[in-house]
Every structure is written in structure tokens, then in C-alpha cells.
Amino acid sequence: MAERLTFLEHAALARRLIDNLGGPKKAAKHCRVGESDLSLYQNPNRPDRIMPADVISALQIVGGTTEYSDALTAEVDQPDLVVADPLHHACGLIREASDALSAIEKSVADGIVSPAEFTVCETELAELEARLPIIRAGLRSKMLAAHDVRRAA
């Protein structure tokens, strides 16, 4: 069985999904729960408040992303469902980190971060963060595939 997502990972995935829709207030318009529940799903100190599957699905459909459900799928002991090349994405992680650090360096150069600069930094950081579950899923997939080969031998 693959390693389970941590409460911190669940909270981070929920935060990205909700932020992708413009925050809890806007996201609440597209699912069965309200702002307060959506806020709690983002809190890593509340392991009792993990976003339900139907809420994830509703928000992903509106937001056009499957990052959260892809990470959940990576938990399942079915490596064929998770196709990712960890080396390719690790190289991409380095590029994303460079882009994020460049944006941050440019933003703080004058000692003041404007709202536009903050938005650019947030975008770059989100792209960097998006690589991590993909790399993790790819590694899990390769580990599970290797385990299946050893078991068959």
C-alpha cells in the first residue's frame, strides 16, 4: 500500500484548490459547504477536517484542475493509475524554483512588494508547489511497480 497523504498535504492541496477559485467565499458558491468549512479544510492543525470527495470534485470541475484527486489516486495501490516521470518533474522543479526565486528577488529589491509583484510571486510559488505531488506520485508509482515485479518473481 502506498504512503498516505499527511494532514499538511491535505491542507496544502485544499488551499491550492480553494485559492484557484478565488478563495473560500467564491469557492463556497460552487459546492455544498460554506466558507467556514472551506477554511477549516486548509488548516493542517485540524486533521478531523479533510475535504470530502464530493466537495473536491465540485471545486475541481469548476476550477479545471485535478491536482487533489490525482494526489488521492497516488495513495491507491494501483501504479497504472499514476503515470509520471519523477526525473522529468524533478528537473522541472529546479526550473520552477529558479523562476520563483527570481520573482521574489525582483519583488523585494526595492524593499516594497506591490500587489502585482505579490501576485507574480504567488503564481511562481504555486507552480513550484504543484510539482511536488507529481514527483511524489511518480515515485510511488515506480516503487509500487517494482514491488509488483518482485512479488511476481
Side-chain angles (χ1 to χ4, degrees), residues 2-138:
E3 184 179 324
R4 303 284 313 231
L5 291 171
T6 66
F7 301 125
L8 184 61
E9 289 170 315
H10 275 285
L13 288 163
R15 179 176 312 275
R16 284 198 293 277
L17 180 57
I18 293 165
D19 286 350
N20 185 49
L21 293 171
K25 186 173 185 174
K26 290 182 181 178
K29 295 177 184 177
H30 302 288
C31 64
R32 68 174 174 82
V33 299
E35 286 179 65
S36 61
D37 283 325
L38 291 172
S39 294
L40 286 172
Y41 299 147
Q42 301 175 67
N43 186 342
N45 298 315
R46 292 294 306 268
D48 59 317
R49 299 307 306 242
I50 293 176
M51 189 180 290
D54 66 306
V55 175
I56 294 169
S57 180
L59 297 179
Q60 286 185 154
I61 289 169
V62 174
T65 179
T66 60
E67 181 183 4
Y68 203 151
S69 60
D70 290 346
L72 291 170
T73 300
E75 289 185 315
V76 180
D77 191 5
Q78 296 181 15
D80 294 338
L81 296 177
V82 181
V83 179
D85 178 2
L87 182 59
H88 168 77
H89 287 288
C91 292
L93 179 71
I94 293 167
R95 284 191 302 275
E96 296 296 349
S98 175
D99 292 347
L101 291 173
S102 293
I104 292 167
E105 182 179 35
K106 182 180 174 188
S107 296
V108 299
D110 63 357
I112 300 170
V113 177
S114 72
E117 290 170 327
F118 180 79
T119 300
V120 169
C121 290
E122 276 290 303
T123 300
E124 293 296 340
L125 289 169
E127 290 172 4
L128 175 63
E129 290 172 333
R131 290 275 182 177
L132 295 175
I134 294 168
I135 293 169
R136 184 176 289 114

